Amino acid sequence: MMNLQVQVRHTAAEEALLSAYSERAASLPGDERTAEKREQAVEILKKGLPNRRVEAWHYTDLRRLLSTVPAFEAATHLEQREPLLPGSVVLPVLNGIAKPMQELSDVSVATVTNELTDGSLAARLALAGTDDAIGAINAAFVTDGFALDIPADAALGHPIELQNVQAGGQVHTRFAVRAGERAKATIVERQLGDGAALVSSVSHLDVGDGAEVVYLIIQEQPDDARHLGQIYVKIGKDAKLTLFVMNTGGKLVRQELRIIAEGEGSEFRLRGVNLLAGDTHCDVTMILDHAAPHTVSTETIRNVVTGKAEGAFQGQIRVARDAQKTDAKMACNTLLLSDEGGFSSKPELEIFADDVACGHGATVTEIEPAHLFYLMARGIDEKTARGLLVKAFVAEVIEELEDEQVVEVLEGKLDAWFAAHG
Amino acid sequence: MLEIKNLHARIAEDGTEILRGVNLAVKPGEVAAIMGPNGSGKSTLSYVLAGRDDYEVTEGDILFKGQSILEMDPAERAATGIFLAFQYPMEIPGVATMEFLKVAMNAQRRARGEEELKIPELLKRVRTAAQELDMDMNMLKRPLNVGFSGGEKKRAEILQMKLLEPSLCVLDETDSGLDIDALKIVAEGVNALRSPDRTIVVITHYQRLLDYIVPDSVHVLYKGQVVKSGEKELAQELEKNGYAGLIGEAA
Ligand SMILES: Nc1ncnc2c1ncn2[C@@H]1O[C@H](COP(=O)(O)OP(=O)(O)OP(=O)(O)O)[C@@H](O)[C@H]1O
Ligand SMILES: [Mg+2]
């Protein structure tokens, strides 16, 4: 007999997700193991999307904010885009379908569809918890994506761009990158398109011992798209990872970063730039585990908020009992350009080791009128002067990426955003 | 060139009146010195000229080249040729000095309908001007004024002035913070800008600067009004006797 007490009154969006699953389940790629994970994910969805009373979703009431879910749309013709960084090899996923690409000599590439079909991806479809709504939506519907394997000691001569382009409807994709021991690579994960899509995209990044990886997540969805992203990261012994996350679009955005510094002596840098305009809601949530001794991390988030935009950064750092000599520094700074926007920052340190150095800080400031006056007194018009000050606020984090080409391209994105919204 | 007529201005935030009917006229080619005790309103006057919105003009007018500038914002005023060398130049973190110079010079050139300068030409001009002021080009790689010493900041202001070629230069205590050699160098820089179609207003407390930049007229500001005007001898007299006698006269 059905237990009426656990019945939830579903929102329109929840209904849409559940009925889409019933319709599509049979045609989704996957063997039995994959199908079982999908079913488990749907069971979580049936309990309803998390609202603000669920701690991890306090700043992003998904149940309220994900007010509608578009229907799946038949694939329209889509072209892949120019890469962010000139000279990159592009691996395009168009409308949720990984497109065959040229062979890569130094990297082996598999499609997620194949991994779903042969069941090898099933373990990774497991959810992070009962509040893992992004994982659940993705596991239920994921169709395709790319998995890269960069061999040990490889030093890629060009960046690789994982390009996820949507044209509306729903897109559920996955990416996986494994960098072998001592490998060196720059990977761009590009999230864009021109439809009012619902996108879920889950990535796994394994940085092998001694490897050095720069991974850039560039989310530039149109203003009416909803983007739910998640990345799981493991960093090996003496490995170095710079994770750069830039959000410049989307109506509703959540980027979850789940990082484990599991190798002794590993270094992790998170640099985040959130450019929020209109009525965007953007949430970056990081959970970082320092699981081994002598691990170093720095997290710097810079936000520029205008219009009625709202943003949040939740930064949780957990230092395990034996992760002695951990050094972690987290900062979240916001430049508010309008009175109607806002940004919340919630740092959380859970430290179980006794010999560690951990710190965090958060600020919210406005453009300093004296600075604006000084620039204008030299003949620089107000908009340009404001642009210079906004750039000054953000550029510092971008410049830390050191690579001149990357810096130039990202500053270009910043200029373009400011020209459109500043 | 510059005509200040019965100018009243107050602090926008609390309404305190600082300028209480300033009258001052400076001709093209003229160098005018403004002196006066601390707190008499000299910097306020310079800010009001430049268009800082912390102050509200409640009465009177400022005419520059025959036109009222009160409705112009600071950038528009700068484009018409007004330049203020600040008493306390601001440090602006994150804005590279070179980039700032490029944007400022080209913004003004655009506003005047002139062609923008290309990077090599711009660099050449900056290098020449920096050399004349005995400034290290490496300083210009740093963010604007950040970590500059007091004297370096003042020199950087004069550097900007040389590059922007304004027709009205207002120098607010440019001499303070400069060592003796720097004072000479900066004064030479200012003197080099003297020309029949340029007006220079020097705000200072000390005769020493006026030994180098010899003024055509000297004006004393006191409690927000010009209480006395004269020729360069007036400055010497003040140096000797202070303001006491003068203030008595005014009161
Ligand atoms: N923004 C402001 N807020 C509050 N008080 C102000 C402001 N600007 C000016 N004042 C006051 O107005 C008066 C005039 O100041 P101002 O800086 O113009 O004097 P000054 O003649 O330049 O003095 P100094 O010779 O010390 O540089 C002072 O009493 C000052 O405290
Ligand atoms: Mg002053």
Side-chain angles (χ1 to χ4, degrees):
Chain A
M1 205 181 85
M2 199 195 278
N3 184 346
L4 288 173
Q5 279 173 311
V6 299
Q7 277 285 3
V8 191
R9 180 189 288 275
H10 288 137
T11 63
E14 289 160 351
E15 280 301 339
L17 284 170
L18 294 171
S19 66
Y21 183 75
S22 320
E23 282 162 30
R24 298 179 71 81
S27 61
L28 288 167
D31 70 345
E32 279 147 44
R33 284 178 294 169
T34 300
E36 191 188 323
K37 292 292 187 206
R38 292 196 193 276
E39 288 296 335
Q40 286 167 2
V42 170
E43 285 310 307
I44 294 292
L45 292 179
K46 282 185 186 158
K47 297 203 168 83
L49 294 170
N51 60 23
R52 58 190 303 277
R53 287 189 296 277
V54 177
E55 202 190 340
W57 294 88
H58 181 71
Y59 297 98
T60 300
D61 188 329
L62 192 65
R63 194 160 194 256
R64 186 174 60 80
L65 292 170
L66 190 65
S67 47
T68 57
V69 166
F72 281 83
E73 282 174 17
T76 49
H77 179 71
L78 259 186
E79 295 280 348
Q80 79 177 54
R81 307 291 175 89
E82 284 296 312
L84 182 81
L85 305 173
S88 300
V89 170
V90 178
L91 300 177
V93 181
L94 308 177
N95 273 327
I97 297 163
K99 292 293 166 192
M101 47 353 204
Q102 74 259 45
E103 286 288 305
L104 277 177
S105 55
D106 36 8
V107 177
S108 71
V109 181
T111 66
V112 164
T113 291
N114 288 344
E115 295 189 334
L116 290 165
T117 308
D118 68 17
S120 58
L121 198 71
R124 286 192 159 175
L125 296 181
L127 305 187
T130 51
D131 57 2
D132 182 6
I134 297 178
I137 292 172
N138 188 272
F141 295 105
V142 60
T143 46
D144 213 344
F146 287 108
L148 311 185
D149 203 332
I150 304 167
D153 297 304
L156 298 192
H158 49 77
I160 295 180
E161 175 163 320
L162 304 165
Q163 193 180 83
N164 199 13
V165 191
Q166 55 88 6
Q170 290 191 39
V171 168
H172 305 283
T173 46
R174 289 210 162 218
F175 298 101
V177 175
R178 199 190 70 82
E181 292 177 12
R182 298 170 303 279
K184 288 192 169 67
T186 297
I187 311 288
V188 179
E189 179 186 313
R190 204 78 185 284
Q191 302 286 355
L192 73 174
D194 26 53
L198 168 66
V199 177
S200 79
S201 182
V202 177
S203 300
H204 285 261
L205 171 63
D206 289 352
V207 184
D209 292 352
E212 288 180 28
V213 173
V214 176
Y215 194 99
L216 305 125
I217 300 176
I218 309 294
Q219 183 279 116
E220 43 189 339
Q221 300 284 8
D223 294 342
D224 48 4
R226 290 156 174 87
H227 184 89
L228 303 175
Q230 205 172 49
I231 185 166
Y232 286 88
V233 179
K234 283 185 198 164
I235 313 170
K237 190 169 180 300
D238 297 323
K240 290 194 172 90
L241 171 66
T242 298
L243 176 60
F244 181 87
V245 182
M246 188 177 211
N247 288 299
T248 69
K251 180 174 179 61
L252 168 64
V253 176
R254 165 112 159 174
Q255 299 275 18
E256 291 179 4
L257 321 171
R258 299 169 178 269
I259 299 130
I260 307 177
E262 60 178 18
E264 191 168 338
S266 63
E267 283 177 37
F268 171 63
R269 286 202 294 185
L270 170 66
R271 297 294 177 266
V273 172
N274 297 308
L275 306 176
L276 312 182
D279 60 355
T280 290
H281 179 101
C282 178
D283 171 328
V284 176
T285 292
M286 178 197 77
I287 301 168
L288 166 62
D289 281 300
H290 278 271
H294 296 281
T295 50
V296 177
S297 78
T298 56
E299 297 77 28
T300 312
I301 307 290
R302 292 279 160 95
N303 313 296
V304 182
V305 180
T306 182
K308 292 182 178 160
E310 291 285 339
F313 171 65
Q314 306 187 91
Q316 187 180 30
I317 299 180
R318 303 190 291 216
V319 180
R321 192 178 307 277
D322 56 354
Q324 300 295 359
K325 305 286 180 194
T326 286
D327 189 339
K329 275 187 203 67
M330 178 160 66
C332 178
N333 310 105
T334 302
L335 184 64
L336 266 187
L337 299 181
S338 88
D339 302 337
E340 293 173 297
F343 200 97
S344 312
S345 168
K346 183 188 174 199
E348 236 182 309
L349 303 179
E350 277 181 31
I351 301 172
F352 298 104
D354 48 25
D355 185 12
V356 300
C358 290
H360 63 79
T363 59
V364 177
T365 50
E366 291 168 20
I367 281 187
E368 175 65 60
H371 291 173
L372 188 63
F373 171 63
Y374 187 92
L375 297 179
M376 289 180 71
R378 298 303 181 242
I380 302 172
D381 69 83
E382 181 168 356
K383 177 146 186 180
T384 309
R386 283 174 160 274
L388 279 175
L389 294 171
V390 168
K391 195 164 172 179
F393 179 77
V394 176
E396 201 183 332
V397 225
I398 294 177
E399 276 155 18
E400 279 184 77
L401 292 170
E402 282 151 18
D403 183 323
E404 253 175 60
Q405 190 190 38
V406 176
V407 171
E408 192 182 319
V409 166
L410 294 178
E411 289 190 346
K413 291 260 171 235
L414 176 61
D415 289 342
W417 180 84
F418 188 80
H421 301 287
Chain B
M1 182 73 119
L2 174 66
E3 267 182 280
I4 301 173
K5 291 181 174 169
N6 187 31
L7 185 68
H8 290 253
R10 63 183 187 197
I11 298 168
E13 202 176 14
D14 61 11
T16 312
E17 188 167 60
I18 309 289
L19 302 182
R20 306 154 195 249
V22 175
N23 287 293
L24 181 69
V26 195
K27 292 193 289 290
E30 183 175 338
V31 175
I34 297 181
M35 305 184 79
N38 295 130
S40 56
K42 302 181 298 296
S43 293
T44 302
L45 178 62
S46 73
Y47 286 142
V48 171
L49 282 171
R52 189 168 189 161
D53 64 6
D54 299 44
Y55 305 96
E56 277 169 10
V57 171
T58 51
E59 222 185 306
D61 205 350
I62 305 172
L63 303 183
F64 179 57
K65 297 176 185 166
Q67 304 264 324
S68 173
I69 58 166
L70 292 184
E71 295 302 316
M72 297 182 184
D73 77 13
E76 291 164 340
R77 294 184 196 201
T80 66
I82 297 177
F83 183 93
L84 166 62
F86 285 71
Q87 182 174 4
Y88 304 109
M90 271 147 249
E91 300 196 2
I92 309 192
V95 175
T97 307
M98 233 16 238
E99 165 86 357
F100 159 75
L101 291 174
K102 185 183 91 187
V103 175
M105 285 167 76
N106 281 335
Q108 294 209 14
R109 294 182 71 87
R110 256 197 327 272
R112 295 177 197 152
E114 295 163 14
E115 213 171 299
E116 292 191 19
L117 291 176
K118 302 257 182 321
I119 306 278
E121 171 62 18
L122 203 122
L123 271 175
K124 204 175 93 191
R125 289 192 186 198
V126 174
R127 206 174 292 125
T128 312
Q131 245 158 28
E132 285 166 5
L133 290 168
D134 200 17
M135 282 175 73
D136 187 351
M137 279 296 280
N138 282 323
M139 245 174 66
L140 305 181
K141 291 185 184 140
R142 309 218 306 250
L144 192 50
N145 292 328
V146 175
F148 289 17
S149 74
E152 286 168 347
K153 282 180 187 160
K154 295 301 177 71
R155 268 190 239 206
E157 293 289 287
I158 301 305
L159 176 78
Q160 293 176 33
M161 191 168 94
K162 284 171 84 97
L163 293 169
L164 294 170
E165 301 175 326
S167 42
L168 171 62
C169 309
V170 181
L171 292 92
D172 190 0
E173 294 197 29
T174 300
D175 50 342
S176 67
L178 289 180
D179 65 44
I180 297 160
D181 297 332
L183 182 70
K184 257 193 194 159
I185 292 167
V186 163
E188 274 165 23
V190 174
N191 283 330
L193 285 173
R194 285 183 100 142
S195 96
D197 46 9
R198 183 172 283 133
T199 294
I200 299 176
V201 176
V202 201
I203 297 171
T204 184
H205 287 293
Y206 303 108
Q207 175 59 36
R208 203 179 53 201
L209 178 71
L210 302 181
D211 288 339
Y212 294 114
I213 306 173
V214 181
D216 301 303
S217 62
V218 175
H219 310 268
V220 179
L221 196 67
Y222 177 63
K223 290 192 173 166
Q225 288 184 329
V226 175
V227 293
K228 186 154 185 150
S229 296
E231 299 190 359
K232 61 174 189 285
E233 292 72 22
L234 175 55
Q236 287 154 5
E237 193 187 309
L238 290 170
E239 176 93 348
K240 220 184 301 152
N241 304 326
Y243 293 107
L246 223 167
I247 289 164
E249 244 172 74

mmCIF file of all heavy atoms in Angstrom, chain B residues 8 11 33 37 48 50 67 74-75 93 97 117 139 148 168-169 175 192 203 213 217 219 245:
data_model
loop_
_atom_site.group_PDB
_atom_site.id
_atom_site.type_symbol
_atom_site.label_atom_id
_atom_site.label_comp_id
_atom_site.label_asym_id
_atom_site.label_seq_id
_atom_site.Cartn_x
_atom_site.Cartn_y
_atom_site.Cartn_z
ATOM 1 N N HIS B 8 29.611 80.471 -5.119
ATOM 2 C CA HIS B 8 29.276 79.887 -3.815
ATOM 3 C C HIS B 8 29.195 78.377 -3.991
ATOM 4 O O HIS B 8 28.538 77.899 -4.903
ATOM 5 C CB HIS B 8 27.932 80.402 -3.312
ATOM 6 C CG HIS B 8 27.954 81.835 -2.903
ATOM 7 N ND1 HIS B 8 27.915 82.242 -1.587
ATOM 8 C CD2 HIS B 8 28.035 82.962 -3.653
ATOM 9 C CE1 HIS B 8 27.953 83.561 -1.536
ATOM 10 N NE2 HIS B 8 28.023 84.042 -2.772
ATOM 11 N N ILE B 11 29.378 71.767 0.642
ATOM 12 C CA ILE B 11 29.582 70.326 0.664
ATOM 13 C C ILE B 11 28.222 69.667 0.443
ATOM 14 O O ILE B 11 27.263 69.960 1.162
ATOM 15 C CB ILE B 11 30.187 69.891 2.013
ATOM 16 C CG1 ILE B 11 31.561 70.548 2.194
ATOM 17 C CG2 ILE B 11 30.296 68.385 2.105
ATOM 18 C CD1 ILE B 11 32.121 70.421 3.591
ATOM 19 N N ALA B 33 48.832 82.983 -8.850
ATOM 20 C CA ALA B 33 49.076 82.198 -7.643
ATOM 21 C C ALA B 33 47.924 82.419 -6.683
ATOM 22 O O ALA B 33 47.443 83.548 -6.532
ATOM 23 C CB ALA B 33 50.385 82.614 -7.004
ATOM 24 N N PRO B 37 45.444 80.782 4.135
ATOM 25 C CA PRO B 37 45.670 79.872 5.266
ATOM 26 C C PRO B 37 45.033 78.494 5.044
ATOM 27 O O PRO B 37 44.148 78.351 4.205
ATOM 28 C CB PRO B 37 45.008 80.575 6.448
ATOM 29 C CG PRO B 37 44.517 81.877 5.962
ATOM 30 C CD PRO B 37 44.667 81.958 4.491
ATOM 31 N N VAL B 48 36.025 72.204 -7.362
ATOM 32 C CA VAL B 48 34.817 72.729 -8.002
ATOM 33 C C VAL B 48 35.113 73.061 -9.466
ATOM 34 O O VAL B 48 34.292 72.822 -10.353
ATOM 35 C CB VAL B 48 34.267 73.945 -7.219
ATOM 36 C CG1 VAL B 48 33.141 74.625 -7.991
ATOM 37 C CG2 VAL B 48 33.776 73.500 -5.840
ATOM 38 N N ALA B 50 37.217 71.468 -11.296
ATOM 39 C CA ALA B 50 37.343 70.198 -12.011
ATOM 40 C C ALA B 50 36.029 69.427 -12.072
ATOM 41 O O ALA B 50 35.907 68.470 -12.827
ATOM 42 C CB ALA B 50 38.418 69.338 -11.357
ATOM 43 N N GLN B 67 32.587 80.194 -21.812
ATOM 44 C CA GLN B 67 31.418 79.319 -21.650
ATOM 45 C C GLN B 67 31.301 78.854 -20.208
ATOM 46 O O GLN B 67 32.320 78.535 -19.589
ATOM 47 C CB GLN B 67 31.614 78.052 -22.498
ATOM 48 C CG GLN B 67 31.872 78.285 -23.959
ATOM 49 C CD GLN B 67 30.603 78.179 -24.767
ATOM 50 O OE1 GLN B 67 29.747 77.359 -24.464
ATOM 51 N NE2 GLN B 67 30.470 79.032 -25.763
ATOM 52 N N PRO B 74 33.201 66.025 -15.012
ATOM 53 C CA PRO B 74 34.657 66.199 -14.969
ATOM 54 C C PRO B 74 35.354 65.817 -16.279
ATOM 55 O O PRO B 74 36.307 66.481 -16.692
ATOM 56 C CB PRO B 74 35.088 65.262 -13.833
ATOM 57 C CG PRO B 74 33.895 65.154 -12.960
ATOM 58 C CD PRO B 74 32.708 65.237 -13.876
ATOM 59 N N ALA B 75 34.861 64.764 -16.932
ATOM 60 C CA ALA B 75 35.505 64.321 -18.163
ATOM 61 C C ALA B 75 35.337 65.362 -19.266
ATOM 62 O O ALA B 75 36.260 65.632 -20.035
ATOM 63 C CB ALA B 75 34.924 62.979 -18.599
ATOM 64 N N PRO B 93 44.543 51.095 -7.265
ATOM 65 C CA PRO B 93 45.081 49.744 -7.450
ATOM 66 C C PRO B 93 44.462 49.080 -8.676
ATOM 67 O O PRO B 93 43.293 49.292 -8.970
ATOM 68 C CB PRO B 93 44.656 48.993 -6.173
ATOM 69 C CG PRO B 93 44.042 49.989 -5.273
ATOM 70 C CD PRO B 93 43.752 51.224 -6.040
ATOM 71 N N THR B 97 49.432 52.193 -14.891
ATOM 72 C CA THR B 97 49.673 53.602 -15.215
ATOM 73 C C THR B 97 49.720 53.830 -16.730
ATOM 74 O O THR B 97 49.109 54.764 -17.248
ATOM 75 C CB THR B 97 50.989 54.067 -14.570
ATOM 76 O OG1 THR B 97 50.918 53.754 -13.178
ATOM 77 C CG2 THR B 97 51.187 55.558 -14.740
ATOM 78 N N LEU B 117 46.317 58.245 -30.799
ATOM 79 C CA LEU B 117 47.743 57.954 -30.937
ATOM 80 C C LEU B 117 47.965 56.452 -30.947
ATOM 81 O O LEU B 117 47.364 55.719 -30.171
ATOM 82 C CB LEU B 117 48.525 58.552 -29.767
ATOM 83 C CG LEU B 117 48.609 60.079 -29.707
ATOM 84 C CD1 LEU B 117 49.337 60.493 -28.431
ATOM 85 C CD2 LEU B 117 49.327 60.626 -30.921
ATOM 86 N N MET B 139 58.521 52.956 -13.083
ATOM 87 C CA MET B 139 57.425 53.362 -12.196
ATOM 88 C C MET B 139 56.087 53.272 -12.918
ATOM 89 O O MET B 139 55.058 53.008 -12.315
ATOM 90 C CB MET B 139 57.649 54.807 -11.776
ATOM 91 C CG MET B 139 57.907 54.962 -10.320
ATOM 92 S SD MET B 139 58.325 56.667 -9.966
ATOM 93 C CE MET B 139 56.802 57.477 -10.342
ATOM 94 N N PHE B 148 53.714 54.951 -4.866
ATOM 95 C CA PHE B 148 54.592 56.066 -5.228
ATOM 96 C C PHE B 148 54.860 56.875 -3.963
ATOM 97 O O PHE B 148 53.969 57.049 -3.123
ATOM 98 C CB PHE B 148 53.927 56.999 -6.257
ATOM 99 C CG PHE B 148 53.775 56.430 -7.646
ATOM 100 C CD1 PHE B 148 53.882 55.072 -7.891
ATOM 101 C CD2 PHE B 148 53.526 57.274 -8.719
ATOM 102 C CE1 PHE B 148 53.730 54.566 -9.177
ATOM 103 C CE2 PHE B 148 53.364 56.782 -10.006
ATOM 104 C CZ PHE B 148 53.461 55.431 -10.232
ATOM 105 N N LEU B 168 44.084 75.051 -19.278
ATOM 106 C CA LEU B 168 44.059 75.595 -17.916
ATOM 107 C C LEU B 168 44.678 74.561 -16.974
ATOM 108 O O LEU B 168 44.153 73.462 -16.812
ATOM 109 C CB LEU B 168 42.617 75.889 -17.468
ATOM 110 C CG LEU B 168 42.445 76.270 -15.990
ATOM 111 C CD1 LEU B 168 43.200 77.547 -15.641
ATOM 112 C CD2 LEU B 168 40.970 76.410 -15.628
ATOM 113 N N CYS B 169 45.805 74.936 -16.380
ATOM 114 C CA CYS B 169 46.464 74.027 -15.434
ATOM 115 C C CYS B 169 46.253 74.564 -14.032
ATOM 116 O O CYS B 169 46.601 75.712 -13.757
ATOM 117 C CB CYS B 169 47.969 73.969 -15.679
ATOM 118 S SG CYS B 169 48.419 73.633 -17.383
ATOM 119 N N ASP B 175 54.139 71.751 -4.908
ATOM 120 C CA ASP B 175 55.473 71.846 -4.299
ATOM 121 C C ASP B 175 55.599 71.051 -3.009
ATOM 122 O O ASP B 175 56.699 70.649 -2.632
ATOM 123 C CB ASP B 175 55.857 73.309 -4.065
ATOM 124 C CG ASP B 175 54.770 74.104 -3.348
ATOM 125 O OD1 ASP B 175 53.616 73.638 -3.335
ATOM 126 O OD2 ASP B 175 55.077 75.172 -2.804
ATOM 127 N N ALA B 192 57.922 75.363 -18.812
ATOM 128 C CA ALA B 192 57.958 74.988 -20.228
ATOM 129 C C ALA B 192 56.560 75.030 -20.836
ATOM 130 O O ALA B 192 56.398 75.164 -22.045
ATOM 131 C CB ALA B 192 58.557 73.596 -20.378
ATOM 132 N N ILE B 203 48.417 76.898 -6.729
ATOM 133 C CA ILE B 203 48.039 77.048 -5.319
ATOM 134 C C ILE B 203 49.266 76.665 -4.489
ATOM 135 O O ILE B 203 49.830 75.586 -4.685
ATOM 136 C CB ILE B 203 46.854 76.133 -4.974
ATOM 137 C CG1 ILE B 203 45.625 76.538 -5.795
ATOM 138 C CG2 ILE B 203 46.566 76.177 -3.473
ATOM 139 C CD1 ILE B 203 44.458 75.571 -5.691
ATOM 140 N N ILE B 213 58.512 79.577 -10.399
ATOM 141 C CA ILE B 213 57.394 79.874 -11.309
ATOM 142 C C ILE B 213 56.907 81.275 -10.937
ATOM 143 O O ILE B 213 56.088 81.432 -10.029
ATOM 144 C CB ILE B 213 56.236 78.862 -11.133
ATOM 145 C CG1 ILE B 213 56.752 77.425 -11.270
ATOM 146 C CG2 ILE B 213 55.133 79.130 -12.140
ATOM 147 C CD1 ILE B 213 55.703 76.365 -10.936
ATOM 148 N N SER B 217 50.087 87.268 -11.169
ATOM 149 C CA SER B 217 49.188 87.829 -10.160
ATOM 150 C C SER B 217 49.134 86.900 -8.956
ATOM 151 O O SER B 217 49.391 85.698 -9.074
ATOM 152 C CB SER B 217 47.782 88.009 -10.742
ATOM 153 O OG SER B 217 47.263 86.751 -11.130
ATOM 154 N N HIS B 219 46.697 85.988 -5.453
ATOM 155 C CA HIS B 219 45.382 86.196 -4.848
ATOM 156 C C HIS B 219 45.329 85.465 -3.515
ATOM 157 O O HIS B 219 45.824 84.345 -3.410
ATOM 158 C CB HIS B 219 44.289 85.659 -5.763
ATOM 159 C CG HIS B 219 44.427 86.149 -7.175
ATOM 160 N ND1 HIS B 219 43.809 87.279 -7.635
ATOM 161 C CD2 HIS B 219 45.175 85.674 -8.208
ATOM 162 C CE1 HIS B 219 44.166 87.479 -8.908
ATOM 163 N NE2 HIS B 219 44.994 86.513 -9.271
ATOM 164 N N GLY B 245 47.936 90.421 9.407
ATOM 165 C CA GLY B 245 47.539 91.773 9.049
ATOM 166 C C GLY B 245 46.398 91.778 8.054
ATOM 167 O O GLY B 245 45.380 92.462 8.226
#
